[in-house]
């Protein structure tokens, strides 16, 4: 059984605040770590696919880091905006899978104007 | 729109009825996945196709569930004799072959409510 855990489960911040979430995953047989943003009534949107230990990726105000040896990834949002409100999901891909993703339960972010 | 599409978006049915959902992946993607998401949980893997071949099925997929991808393009997921526990969001995703860096592109999902 693969355990992918995300924390916190939910987060309320004010517009302009910076925030970060954690995803922990098994450190053995690592292949890739995916981050998605899922807004209500829309498709989950891929943010990052991370494969190498020490990877850091950035997309606008959002960035992510990866530590495969200890099994965690952080997602950072700088200067949160109300449109950042969504559920943020991380998903672990094991080396022996066909691309099957094991998801965490998500972090629900609400940014208040 | 060349993304992944799913139909219907919402389905309400009575317990015991059969339902079928359709997924149209991105046209050049030969990998197709079905996931299910229940309230408060992340999506859980159900099954995977490479072209028309169903290569992996989760133990979550009881014998009431069947999925097909007859010509390696669109896929259908059928649930027979629905139960209230089947109420969930059913997501489809597609990706090109291989590569650790390949994203899975998701559709908007079909929300099933079993009364």
């Amino acid at each position: 059984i693969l355990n992918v855990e995300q924390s916190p489960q939910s987060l309320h911040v004010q517009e302009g605040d910076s925030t970060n979430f954690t995803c922990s995953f098994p450190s053995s047989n690592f292949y890739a770590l995916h981050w998605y943003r899922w807004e209500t009534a829309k498709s989950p949107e891929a943010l990052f696919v991370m494969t190498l230990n020490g990877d850091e990726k950035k997309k606008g105000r959002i960035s992510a880091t990866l530590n495969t040896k200890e099994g965690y990834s952080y997602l950072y949002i700088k200067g949160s905006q109300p449109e950042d409100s969504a559920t943020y999901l991380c998903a672990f891909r094991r080396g022996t899978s066909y691309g099957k993703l094991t998801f965490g339960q998500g972090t629900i972010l609400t940014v208040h104007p | 729109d060349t993304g992944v599409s799913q139909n219907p978006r919402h389905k309400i049915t009575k317990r015991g009825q059969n339902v079928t959902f359709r997924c149209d992946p991105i046209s050049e993607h030969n990998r197709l996945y079905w996931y299910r998401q229940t309230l408060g949980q992340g999506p859980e893997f159900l099954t995977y196709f490479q072209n028309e071949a169903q290569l992996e099925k989760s133990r979550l997929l009881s014998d009431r569930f069947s999925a097909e991808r007859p010509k390696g393009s669109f896929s259908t997921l059928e649930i027979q004799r629905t139960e209230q526990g089947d109420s969930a969001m059913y997501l489809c995703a597609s990706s090109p072959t291989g590569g650790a860096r390949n994203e899975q592109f998701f559709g908007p999902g079909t929300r099933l409510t079993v009364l």
Side-chain angles (χ1 to χ4, degrees):
Chain A
I1 296 176
L2 295 179
N3 286 322
V4 179
E5 301 286 340
Q6 290 188 246
S7 63
Q9 285 193 313
S10 65
L11 195 54
H12 290 256
V13 300
Q14 291 296 127
E15 183 174 356
D17 288 350
S18 293
T19 187
N20 64 86
F21 325 132
T22 303
C23 172
S24 63
F25 52 86
S27 55
S28 61
N29 208 6
F30 175 86
Y31 198 65
L33 194 282
H34 295 234
W35 280 101
Y36 286 88
R37 174 170 59 201
W38 194 3
E39 296 178 65
T40 303
K42 295 187 177 179
S43 304
E45 173 198 356
L47 291 173
F48 305 111
V49 180
M50 309 182 80
T51 57
L52 298 175
N53 185 45
D55 251 355
E56 289 189 29
K57 296 213 171 182
K58 189 173 180 182
K59 192 177 199 177
R61 294 179 291 98
I62 305 177
S63 60
T65 61
L66 180 68
N67 183 323
T68 61
K69 294 188 188 307
E70 296 182 39
Y72 65 83
S73 176
Y74 294 133
L75 187 80
Y76 300 91
I77 303 178
K78 186 177 177 182
S80 302
Q81 299 296 308
E83 57 265 31
D84 295 329
S85 297
T87 297
Y88 290 82
L89 293 161
C90 71
F92 170 77
R93 181 177 166 186
R94 195 167 56 174
T96 52
S97 74
Y98 287 109
K100 172 175 76 176
L101 298 178
T102 301
F103 283 85
Q105 75 275 36
T107 293
I108 303 170
L109 173 67
T110 305
V111 182
H112 299 279
Chain B
D1 189 345
T2 57
V4 178
S5 62
Q6 291 187 246
N7 288 288
R9 294 289 303 273
H10 302 273
K11 179 71 178 178
I12 300 173
T13 192
K14 291 184 180 178
R15 190 176 55 184
Q17 298 294 304
N18 299 344
V19 294
T20 300
F21 312 139
R22 176 176 169 130
C23 170
D24 287 89
I26 294 171
S27 59
E28 62 268 26
H29 288 180
N30 56 9
R31 293 186 171 194
L32 187 146
Y33 306 83
W34 284 98
Y35 294 86
R36 178 176 70 185
Q37 190 231 8
T38 53
L39 199 61
Q41 303 297 318
E44 295 174 291
F45 170 80
L46 292 178
T47 191
Y48 157 69
F49 289 86
Q50 181 150 328
N51 299 313
E52 65 275 10
Q54 188 174 20
L55 296 183
E56 190 171 352
K57 287 171 61 171
S58 164
R59 280 172 286 182
L60 293 174
L61 219 62
S62 76
D63 56 7
R64 296 184 298 105
F65 287 71
S66 61
E68 295 183 341
R69 194 181 182 198
K71 295 181 181 178
S73 57
F74 72 92
S75 176
T76 58
L77 178 68
E78 180 184 15
I79 310 174
Q80 296 183 325
R81 305 182 304 281
T82 52
E83 301 173 356
Q84 287 183 325
D86 297 331
S87 295
M89 174 75 85
Y90 290 83
L91 291 163
C92 174
S94 71
S95 74
T97 301
R101 291 182 175 80
N102 282 332
E103 299 172 4
Q104 287 186 21
F105 294 83
F106 280 83
T110 295
R111 182 167 294 285
L112 173 66
T113 303
V114 182
L115 301 175

